Amino acid sequence: MQGGRFRRGKRGALKIVPEGKESRARIRARCRKVAAEFDKSQPLSTEEMEVAARQLLAEMELGEGYVGWTMVVLASEFWRDQVAAVPPRRRLFLVPQRMEHLDSCAGECDRLRLDGKRCGACCMAEFQSKAEVLGYQVLVTEGSPLVLQTILSGSVDAIVGVSCLNVLEKAIDKILLAGIPCMAVPLLSNDCNGMSVDEDWVEEMIRLSQGGSGVRTRTYLHLMRAADRLFSPEELERIAPRLRQGPSLSQVNGQGLGGLEPIAATEAIAYDFLTKGGKHSRPFITLAAYDALTGAKGTQADGARHLRSLPDAIRRTALSIETFHKASLVHDDVEDDDAFRYGDPTLHRKFGTATAINVGDYLIGLGYRLVSREAATLGPDVVSDILDCLADAHMKLSEGQGAELVWRDARDKSLKPSDALAIYALKTAPAFEAALYSGLRLAGPAEQYLEPVKQLAKNLGVAFQILNDLKDWHGDENNKRASGGDVFGGRPTVLWALALESLSDEDRADMVSLIDCDVADRETLLRVRQLYMSAGVFETAGQLVDDYQKRAEDIAKGFQPGDLRRLLYYLIDTVLERPAEPVSAIVSTSLQTELSVAAKS
């Protein structure tokens, strides 16, 4: 099981929309028959969808260019009955973004209908209105984070959507892997430039009658919600009550630290930061690993009820993993002088460097206390083993971060790819290892898992960090980082190391001289990007991600029981979520645009 293969290849070539309504209807009918043969008790993986889609197209003597479109239709048919089982008021309807011209074209719609044609945006607005009347929640498709946030809120149990293939993949792929009932009708333009759609299919989808079979696919949704709920102010206060009992930052009406009693201020800032942002993937890993070894009841239809009965000691251990992560973010932001975190000013920019460092230290202490005080409930051996793993992870992370800081401040900017990867293994892998091991140890003896967990976490962590390096060239809206921030922040990346290894002596000296400058202007960024492109580092790094992912998947194959193995495959696929297009293609297009602009100016 190696999910995401078609995401890595000739993406555009595999996303052709079949021409002709009759052709699309034929493929859709075959998808319905194929989907009826699937085992609905387990989520449909990306690989299973791709294999089935390719086989279906081959049997129909159709080209592989329709693979992406067929996968969307196949997944929709897989989930049809389970979407039908969800009341419309618990469904989310995703609509396309490109509806901005509605006001200007509204007066033309009647005339267009007389001609037998319809404005796509106006048509979509009608579907939105119909869905709202039926009780649907409606959201403009903007990718998986916003969709996932809505799902985690607990108000939605199924998704139906309309968009182009590129956006559908980006918004729904992870949600399908999580086992959330989902259907979609692709637009007839695969690049989101048009709004035409098979209208009768959309009408059928949003009016899907409530009913459906009794089969329920296992889902990680309940566990995801349980991890997310840990960080609501109410639940956080319940399982980890504040000792100082002072007001929270939100209760001092914008007075900031001036509205807090001095001794209670650190606690108030720390708790406020714990409730802000983040995917909470680490506490999810802990809860899900524990669940996988105790019957996987949290993934079943009544998983929400089961998870409400979990001992608070389990919740506190999962919570502790995130407090360590949040502490490392506070300290990293100080060390890198980053301006934003979760879309807000970083703590050191808001409250000062000394206060931020102190809050990070407080979060570390809180993390250890959340586990150490559960010996009576969990047993002293369990607590000792988990604390030892957490301490080891904490020390390795500090070593990795220390190596990065030493390199950043050194005059010699030489770096081997192997050294960059070693830093990644220390900085990122321990967090995955600690989260996974803690969940397994909470369920019972875990000696048999120690070494494979360590190796899987290493490969997953390194791949994750390389992927982050690549994503740095996209920028980061959440943290308001510009593209190329790692270069000018002085962080040692495998991209830098690969460029040093491949460039000529002249180009290598040129690249090193660029980061010696204090000015990170557009021209400098453009030149670094050119050098990276000429060295082929984006393609090489992308291949490294694939290689490390394959190693992680090979290790996951050996895990037992099956519920744990499935969880590991899911983690690998979701943690290593790729951008909508290969980074090399995005950067190349961006580079050409920049060069064109520069030439004109």
Side-chain angles (χ1 to χ4, degrees), residues 150-165:
T150 305
I151 289 287
L152 293 180
S153 71
S155 62
V156 166
D157 295 319
I159 301 173
V160 301
V162 178
S163 192
C164 62
L165 286 175

Side-chain angles (χ1 to χ4, degrees), residues 129-444:
S129 297
K130 290 178 180 178
E132 288 172 340
V133 169
L134 290 169
Y136 281 79
Q137 297 183 47
V138 177
L139 185 67
V140 175
T141 306
E142 293 182 357
S144 59
L146 191 55
V147 175
L148 200 57
Q149 180 182 342
T150 305
I151 289 287
L152 293 180
S153 71
S155 62
V156 166
D157 295 319
I159 301 173
V160 301
V162 178
S163 192
C164 62
L165 286 175
N166 288 330
V167 171
L168 285 176
E169 178 192 1
K170 185 177 179 182
I172 296 174
D173 184 51
K174 185 185 294 187
I175 294 166
L176 283 173
L177 285 170
I180 299 169
C182 185
M183 294 181 69
V185 177
L187 292 171
L188 301 184
S189 171
N190 70 340
D191 58 4
C192 301
N193 287 327
M195 297 290 288
S196 298
V197 69
D198 289 312
E199 296 178 22
D200 55 333
W201 292 10
V202 180
E203 185 86 24
E204 173 191 328
M205 179 177 66
I206 63 175
R207 293 191 179 279
L208 199 61
S209 299
Q210 189 174 345
S213 70
V215 178
R216 291 292 179 269
T217 302
R218 292 207 172 197
T219 175
Y220 292 116
L221 175 59
H222 307 308
L223 285 157
M224 292 161 64
R225 284 176 174 167
D228 194 62
R229 197 174 299 118
L230 293 175
F231 301 92
S232 69
E234 299 76 20
E235 182 69 356
L236 186 59
E237 185 66 37
R238 189 188 71 78
I239 63 175
R242 289 180 296 159
L243 298 180
R244 299 301 174 185
Q245 296 298 310
S248 65
L249 282 180
S250 62
Q251 292 172 326
V252 295
N253 299 320
Q255 299 176 57
L257 296 182
L260 299 171
E261 194 272 325
I263 294 180
T266 299
E267 183 179 67
I269 299 171
Y271 273 63
D272 180 75
F273 189 60
L274 279 174
T275 64
K276 294 288 180 65
K279 299 177 181 177
H280 303 142
S281 56
R282 292 159 185 81
F284 164 78
I285 292 172
T286 300
L287 292 177
Y290 170 79
D291 183 69
L293 290 189
T294 54
K297 296 177 181 178
T299 66
Q300 297 173 10
D302 61 347
R305 180 183 60 79
H306 167 73
L307 292 171
R308 284 194 292 270
S309 69
L310 283 182
D312 281 343
I314 305 295
R315 301 179 202 274
R316 292 188 182 105
T317 303
L319 176 61
S320 74
I321 306 296
E322 188 74 0
T323 65
F324 289 117
H325 174 59
K326 288 291 181 76
S328 72
L329 295 182
V330 174
H331 289 160
D332 283 358
D333 288 343
V334 171
E335 291 161 353
D336 298 335
D337 195 24
D338 286 330
F340 294 95
R341 174 68 63 181
Y342 305 132
D344 292 331
T346 47
L347 292 189
H348 72 283
R349 292 288 184 97
K350 190 184 299 183
F351 301 115
T353 298
T355 294
I357 292 173
N358 191 57
V359 168
D361 292 343
Y362 177 92
L363 287 168
I364 293 170
L366 176 62
Y368 283 115
R369 191 184 71 189
L370 285 166
V371 177
S372 66
R373 296 193 176 184
E374 296 299 332
T377 304
L378 300 175
D381 290 345
V382 173
V383 167
S384 175
D385 288 347
I386 291 176
L387 287 176
D388 183 64
C389 179
L390 293 174
D392 186 60
H394 198 165
M395 293 173 68
K396 287 178 179 175
L397 186 151
S398 297
E399 289 175 338
Q401 180 70 1
E404 178 177 298
L405 295 174
V406 167
W407 187 89
R408 183 193 70 182
D409 297 333
R411 293 182 62 85
D412 181 3
K413 294 303 179 184
S414 59
L415 181 70
K416 297 178 181 178
S418 59
D419 292 335
L421 297 175
I423 292 175
Y424 293 174
L426 287 170
K427 276 198 63 175
T428 310
F432 291 119
E433 180 183 346
L436 185 54
Y437 174 81
S438 294
L440 299 176
R441 187 65 183 94
L442 286 169

Side-chain angles (χ1 to χ4, degrees), residues 502-517:
S502 301
L503 290 172
S504 66
D505 291 343
E506 182 180 352
D507 283 343
R508 189 183 304 120
D510 184 20
M511 189 173 74
V512 171
S513 70
L514 291 172
I515 66 164
D516 284 338
C517 302

Side-chain angles (χ1 to χ4, degrees), residues 554-600:
D554 287 344
I555 295 168
K557 289 178 184 177
F559 276 80
Q560 295 290 345
D563 289 320
L564 176 58
R565 186 171 60 253
R566 279 188 290 272
L567 170 65
L568 297 178
Y569 284 138
Y570 169 71
L571 293 177
I572 292 167
D573 269 340
T574 53
V575 167
L576 301 181
E577 181 186 21
R578 305 300 204 276
E581 295 292 340
V583 173
S584 56
I586 294 173
V587 174
S588 179
T589 301
S590 176
L591 178 60
Q592 293 301 321
T593 302
E594 290 275 8
L595 288 171
S596 177
V597 171
K600 291 178 180 178

Side-chain angles (χ1 to χ4, degrees), residues 1-8 38 43-54 67 71-72 74-75 169 172-178 549 553 569-570 573-574:
M1 178 178 182
Q2 297 168 25
R5 281 184 179 170
F6 106 96
R7 294 192 308 240
R8 304 177 199 172
F38 278 110
L44 192 63
S45 73
T46 307
E47 184 184 47
E48 289 169 323
M49 280 194 293
E50 182 180 353
V51 169
R54 287 182 179 278
V67 164
M71 288 173 68
V72 171
L74 184 62
E169 178 192 1
I172 296 174
D173 184 51
K174 185 185 294 187
I175 294 166
L176 283 173
L177 285 170
Q549 176 166 349
E553 289 167 343
Y569 284 138
Y570 169 71
D573 269 340
T574 53

